[in-house]
Amino acid sequence: MNKKQVYIYKAFERFWHWMQAILIFFLAFTGFEIHGSFSFLGYSDAVRYHNIAAYMFMILIVFAIFWHFSTGEWRQYVPTFKNIKSQLNYYIFGIFRNAPHPTKKTVLSKLNPLQKLTYFGLKILVIPLSLTSGLLYMFYRYPTRYGVDSINISTLKYIAIFHTIAAILLVVFIITHLYLITTGKTITSNLRAMLTGYEELEEYGAEENKPSDLARGDMIDKKESLIS
Amino acid sequence: MKKIVLGLVLIVLIGFYVFSLLIPKEKEESKLTLLKEKYEKKTPINVDHSKFEILKKKFNSPQEVTEACESCHNMTAHQIMNSNHWNWERAEYIKGKGIVYLGKANAINNFCIGTKGNELSCAKCHIGYGMDSTRKVFADSTNIDCLVCHDKTETYAKAQEKGGAPASGLDYNKIAQSVGKPKRTNCGVCHFYGGGGNNVKHGDLEMSMFEPARDVDIHMDAEGADLQCVDCHTTKQHVISGKLYSLSSMNLNRNNCEQCHGETPHQSSILNEHTYKVACQTCHIPIYAKVNATKMYWDWSTAGKLNNGQPYELDDSMGNHIYLSIKGNFVWKKNVKPDYIWFDGTASHYLEGDVINDTTHPLVLNQLHGSYNDPEAKIIPVKIHIAKQPYDPINRILIQPKLYSTEKGEGAFWKDFNWVTASEVGMKDAGLPFSGKVSFIKTEMYWPVNHMVSAKEKSVQCIECHTRNNSRLAKLKDFYMPGRDYSTFVDTAGTWLIVLTFFGILAHGALRIFSSKKIKKV
């Protein structure tokens, strides 16, 4: 099997990923200060920066959604239960025996089934939970302000608790994610791929999935130029 | 392709930048500027009272001065005689009790307890001349004391223990010719000394407010805005707006900050949202009794101890009485952080003769109503004054003792130091039953704190409430507050989940290192 440097993460994807990483870190940091877990920035600044970062995160999400749909990349996240057992087996047993990754990474299928499931869960459950509870947190008093008492939410309690749950889940995800990026071909290969866009993949994968990364890149270019 | 991506990135960055411009910045509020302009203009004087012949004649009694006033102001007596400053009571609706006439005339408080039978002393702060227990004074409009409110020479004074009569030796001509709009000194001579001494009652109204520094009160700052009481407590036909819930119970004729500042005066929308549930005073009066201490606790049960048959007093290092034979023990405090309660503008009161059913808790003499779920209610700062005061354990009612008299042997506690006779005479004056037994009961009064507003830089900071430890609002538990509250279950489960994940990856990582070494060896 030949190995080849493949351009696997596009520029926007990398920008989105790192921006999202920074924002989630910052939101978690300021958020848990607001939650009362510690004090560092000072309460009013923590709230102010948390809100600014929240708006930035929402803008980023809008762009990311547009990107995912316009490029068709959203298909990467459709969960599958195929191979999920072998992937689990790999993390529990294979990894210690230096066994090969059970799922081949290709441009068209960058994520292993566990990743698909996890990211799908993040996108469809955790982020929306965080976002809706966060928006309600910001605006739950607005109906009253404009005299619409009937839809006013009288207590912040459940909004806040669900927002906390989403935050805790994200923290757990980040810890796991940070660790699992070291389980690539080498310890840093995944990290390097997300920084440079290139990763050394087996050619077999690139060919198997027909359109070569180059051809595929052209295709996207065409598609995007059509859109714009 | 690259261009498009770069373009997208640029758009995002521009978006962030534009958004950052939208974030409000600290600015001088235009509304505040308008207010400052308004109060910088001093109202011109329309009438010079020193030119009136009638005020140059010789006055033999204060009543003659009043007659002179009324000769021109011929509709004013009617206004005064319908005011609560004159009547010492007003009609109040109290839930469960209906309409009652409540005021100093009949209320029972937990300071000097009540005025009944003690008029000669208490009425030093009545806007009339010569009140006594018969209260005939109210019938004659020449008994109205115009001067105590309108004197601008600052020489007018009332005599001690003369039912509101003026001190002797006053130059009535000079005083009468000086009259004008009341200033802080006019209101302060009574309202700063309620309860028988400086700052005894309110905590936020006391003699430092005659000429307060900016730190004491931003509005009345003698070097700054120099607002007078009546600038906020606006007056129509001698009915003065604003009242205190030690004696009031209805959400009517209130004074509030919003009347000048509006309901949402902040630049920050988060702060403006606080105004749905938090009164301005809560954040803007971080402490009260800033200059002189205020009385927080009054124990009547220790009163009456004598030293060689004589009453005595003990003072603390600040010069405050901590014991008086006539009044008992006191606790004073300075720079006090207020307590906080929900308040919807209505209150109920202990009225004389009300039977006390629950003696296990302190009896609240003026219960202020409100809760988080009450849309009218906001969090307000209060001073809670606690007392142990005389109580008839058989009839289960508070005792209105006779305290003051000029002579020994009339039963007055301050002369004879006997609770039973003082109670007997006092309750008879008040028309209430008395069993002959005196015991003491713990009572509380809630005094909303509205003055001694600090500069905005010194207002209460977010973290003082939004914190798990020693939150200013720790006692208000009926709502969820970020920073203070959390779900114990979610936080505990979440912490465990994070810790387990962390140890999970540590173990996994350790195993990987271990096994890779083993594989290499093989």
Side-chain angles (χ1 to χ4, degrees):
Chain A
M1 274 186 288
N2 292 323
K3 286 178 179 173
K4 196 185 165 196
Q5 288 288 332
V6 178
Y7 189 54
I8 184 164
Y9 300 117
K10 310 289 175 301
F12 176 79
E13 199 171 12
R14 283 176 285 140
F15 166 76
W16 165 59
H17 173 270
W18 289 114
M19 207 57 205
Q20 180 166 260
I22 293 166
L23 286 174
I24 288 180
F25 263 112
F26 189 73
L27 283 164
F29 188 71
T30 49
F32 279 103
E33 173 157 8
I34 295 164
H35 187 55
S37 306
F38 57 87
S39 100
F40 180 77
L41 288 171
Y43 203 85
S44 55
D45 282 344
V47 171
R48 189 156 80 229
Y49 296 142
H50 191 79
N51 284 353
I52 294 170
Y55 280 114
M56 289 167 76
F57 192 37
M58 286 187 274
I59 294 169
L60 186 68
I61 285 173
V62 171
F63 276 96
I65 289 174
F66 174 76
W67 181 83
H68 276 92
F69 281 103
S70 61
T71 58
E73 285 287 317
W74 61 272
R75 290 193 187 86
Q76 300 269 7
Y77 301 92
V78 177
T80 165
F81 290 96
K82 217 174 92 186
N83 273 342
I84 208 158
K85 210 174 155 195
S86 55
Q87 190 66 36
L88 263 174
N89 271 330
Y90 171 74
Y91 284 129
I92 299 170
F93 305 108
I95 195 167
F96 304 120
R97 297 190 200 118
N98 218 6
H101 278 266
T103 332
K104 296 287 166 274
K105 202 172 192 174
T106 69
V107 175
L108 278 191
S109 179
K110 297 184 269 207
L111 307 173
N112 72 45
L114 268 181
Q115 279 178 308
K116 283 187 189 203
L117 198 66
T118 310
Y119 296 163
F120 185 72
L122 281 181
K123 280 168 193 284
I124 201 99
L125 288 174
V126 181
I127 302 280
L129 177 66
S130 185
L131 217 68
T132 21
S133 56
L135 283 169
L136 285 170
Y137 215 124
M138 283 179 182
F139 297 113
Y140 80 112
R141 283 284 177 216
Y142 272 66
T144 314
R145 168 177 292 182
Y146 298 106
V148 197
D149 280 334
S150 52
I151 55 163
N152 184 47
I153 298 165
S154 63
T155 173
L156 188 58
K157 187 175 179 183
Y158 300 103
I159 296 172
I161 289 175
F162 279 113
H163 201 62
T164 312
I165 292 173
I168 290 170
L169 291 177
L170 276 169
V171 168
V172 170
F173 165 75
I174 286 172
I175 295 171
T176 322
H177 184 69
L178 283 176
Y179 172 68
L180 286 177
I181 60 170
T182 68
T183 63
K185 203 132 289 169
T186 68
I187 291 209
T188 55
S189 62
N190 280 338
L191 178 65
R192 201 174 300 142
M194 194 44 96
L195 283 168
T196 63
Y198 286 95
E199 185 170 2
E200 197 181 72
L201 296 181
E202 287 158 12
E203 261 214 276
Y204 147 82
E207 269 175 18
E208 163 102 335
N209 286 301
K210 208 225 105 201
S212 74
D213 52 317
L214 216 137
R216 190 180 141 69
D218 286 342
M219 209 173 76
I220 290 166
D221 265 354
K222 270 176 211 148
K223 208 191 267 176
E224 275 178 0
S225 58
L226 271 178
I227 288 165
S228 56
Chain B
M1 165 74 188
K2 254 195 183 149
K3 274 179 194 165
I4 288 167
V5 171
L6 278 175
L8 267 176
V9 171
L10 203 68
I11 289 167
V12 174
L13 288 175
I14 291 168
F16 291 162
Y17 178 66
V18 168
F19 181 71
S20 76
L21 289 182
L22 294 177
I23 295 157
K25 305 210 168 48
E26 291 277 328
K27 268 187 289 181
E28 182 71 12
E29 297 90 324
S30 61
K31 186 145 196 178
L32 207 55
T33 321
L34 288 176
L35 279 174
K36 279 178 183 165
E37 265 171 30
K38 179 181 167 190
Y39 284 103
E40 258 164 29
K41 287 181 202 141
K42 296 293 168 201
T43 33
I45 298 160
N46 297 318
V47 178
D48 182 354
H49 281 82
S50 69
K51 299 283 192 290
F52 290 118
E53 286 307 314
I54 197 165
L55 300 179
K56 291 177 183 165
K57 74 167 193 171
K58 184 174 162 33
F59 293 118
N60 295 310
S61 72
Q63 280 86 353
E64 285 181 24
V65 183
T66 306
E67 271 175 50
C69 300
E70 288 176 348
S71 67
C72 290
H73 298 274
N74 54 11
M75 297 299 283
T76 310
H78 176 73
Q79 296 169 7
I80 296 289
M81 292 170 88
N82 281 307
S83 75
N84 43 284
H85 268 107
W86 174 258
N87 291 317
W88 269 10
E89 65 176 24
R90 65 187 145 207
E92 294 280 355
Y93 172 79
I94 299 181
K95 213 177 164 190
K97 287 180 177 159
I99 290 167
V100 294
Y101 286 85
L102 181 62
K104 288 189 189 305
N106 57 357
I108 293 196
N109 64 41
N110 66 1
F111 293 87
C112 283
I113 300 173
T115 60
K116 278 196 178 166
N118 305 308
E119 286 86 352
L120 279 181
S121 177
C122 301
K124 189 192 170 192
C125 278
H126 180 240
I127 55 157
Y129 301 128
M131 194 201 283
D132 57 18
S133 50
T134 66
R135 302 199 177 184
K136 282 180 187 155
V137 61
F138 295 113
D140 182 355
S141 75
T142 61
N143 283 327
I144 295 171
D145 185 348
C146 309
L147 302 177
V148 70
C149 300
H150 295 285
D151 162 46
K152 297 200 96 171
T153 64
E154 299 188 15
T155 59
Y156 182 82
K158 292 224 187 206
Q160 299 282 353
E161 298 162 359
K162 290 263 163 42
S168 54
L170 296 176
D171 183 343
Y172 286 126
N173 296 100
K174 199 177 142 204
I175 293 168
Q177 288 168 26
S178 79
V179 292
K181 203 173 174 184
K183 295 186 71 96
R184 285 193 300 269
T185 42
N186 299 91
C187 309
V189 287
C190 285
H191 290 278
F192 295 169
Y193 297 94
N198 180 51
N199 212 13
V200 168
K201 273 184 177 168
H202 292 269
D204 62 334
L205 288 174
E206 59 110 6
M207 61 186 185
S208 73
M209 311 283 270
F210 284 130
E211 295 291 318
R214 187 172 189 269
D215 282 348
V216 176
D217 190 291
I218 189 85
H219 296 115
M220 294 186 245
D221 173 13
E223 314 261 281
D226 198 19
L227 293 194
Q228 304 298 315
C229 309
V230 292
D231 284 331
C232 294
H233 295 275
T234 52
T235 302
K236 265 189 193 153
Q237 304 190 320
H238 284 91
V239 175
I240 298 175
S241 69
K243 56 189 185 168
L244 198 70
Y245 282 86
S246 49
L247 292 170
S248 309
S249 60
M250 288 188 296
N251 194 4
L252 274 181
N253 192 31
R254 286 172 76 183
N255 252 114
N256 52 41
C257 314
E258 288 89 339
Q259 69 197 37
C260 287
H261 293 283
E263 293 199 344
T264 51
H266 308 96
Q267 287 288 312
S268 150
S269 63
I270 293 182
L271 290 182
N272 281 336
E273 256 174 66
H274 278 71
T275 63
Y276 296 135
K277 288 288 178 189
V278 182
C280 310
Q281 299 94 312
T282 302
C283 300
H284 292 280
I285 309 176
I287 47 167
Y288 63 93
K290 289 176 180 175
V291 181
N292 293 299
T294 186
K295 205 173 271 187
M296 304 302 291
Y297 179 73
W298 185 326
D299 184 356
W300 277 102
S301 71
T302 59
K305 288 183 222 161
L306 300 175
N307 202 347
N308 296 325
Q310 291 300 314
Y312 65 98
E313 63 175 67
L314 296 171
D315 291 354
D316 68 9
S317 57
M318 291 188 284
N320 303 306
H321 301 310
I322 51 173
Y323 181 76
L324 289 175
S325 296
I326 58 167
K327 292 178 176 177
N329 279 91
F330 310 120
V331 174
W332 295 77
K333 275 190 188 159
K334 205 180 140 178
N335 289 327
V336 193
K337 260 193 199 179
D339 281 280
Y340 298 94
I341 57 157
W342 288 106
F343 184 44
D344 66 4
T346 66
S348 53
H349 292 266
Y350 179 87
L351 304 178
E352 49 179 11
D354 280 355
V355 174
I356 302 155
N357 293 314
D358 176 13
T359 51
T360 56
H361 295 98
L363 171 71
V364 179
L365 298 186
N366 64 326
Q367 185 78 59
L368 307 186
H369 303 145
S371 68
Y372 176 78
N373 289 320
D374 179 345
E376 295 289 313
K378 291 185 179 187
I379 296 170
I380 62 156
V382 289
K383 167 189 165 177
I384 301 177
H385 182 258
I386 298 169
K388 268 169 104 175
Q389 68 188 95
Y391 152 76
D392 180 337
I394 309 294
N395 293 320
R396 297 156 76 93
I397 58 176
L398 289 185
I399 289 172
Q400 164 68 71
K402 182 167 180 66
L403 297 172
Y404 174 80
S405 108
T406 46
E407 305 295 328
K408 273 192 177 184
E410 291 177 357
F413 187 80
W414 291 351
K415 293 285 177 195
D416 302 336
F417 299 102
N418 183 321
W419 276 121
V420 176
T421 48
S423 303
E424 203 175 312
V425 177
M427 293 300 263
K428 203 177 158 202
D429 282 346
L432 292 167
F434 176 57
S435 70
K437 283 249 173 354
V438 179
S439 103
F440 292 85
I441 187 170
K442 206 170 193 183
T443 61
E444 288 179 356
M445 276 191 93
Y446 288 76
W447 289 72
V449 176
N450 296 315
H451 305 90
M452 292 199 175
V453 176
S454 287
K456 67 176 176 187
E457 307 80 53
K458 293 201 172 163
S459 51
V460 172
Q461 300 300 300
C462 313
I463 193 72
E464 295 182 52
C465 297
H466 293 277
T467 175
R468 294 184 185 185
N469 309 312
N470 295 324
S471 167
R472 279 185 185 248
L473 302 184
K475 285 181 191 163
L476 299 180
K477 292 187 181 126
D478 59 348
F479 68 106
Y480 183 98
M481 183 163 68
R484 179 192 70 170
D485 296 323
Y486 53 94
S487 153
T488 325
F489 173 75
V490 168
D491 269 39
T492 318
T495 311
W496 274 106
L497 191 62
I498 291 169
V499 168
L500 286 178
T501 311
F502 193 70
F503 281 108
I505 64 162
L506 275 187
H508 197 271
L511 260 175
R512 268 171 68 205
I513 295 168
F514 179 73
S515 61
S516 71
K517 275 181 184 162
K518 220 166 126 187
I519 287 164
K520 268 179 198 163
K521 265 184 200 166
V522 173

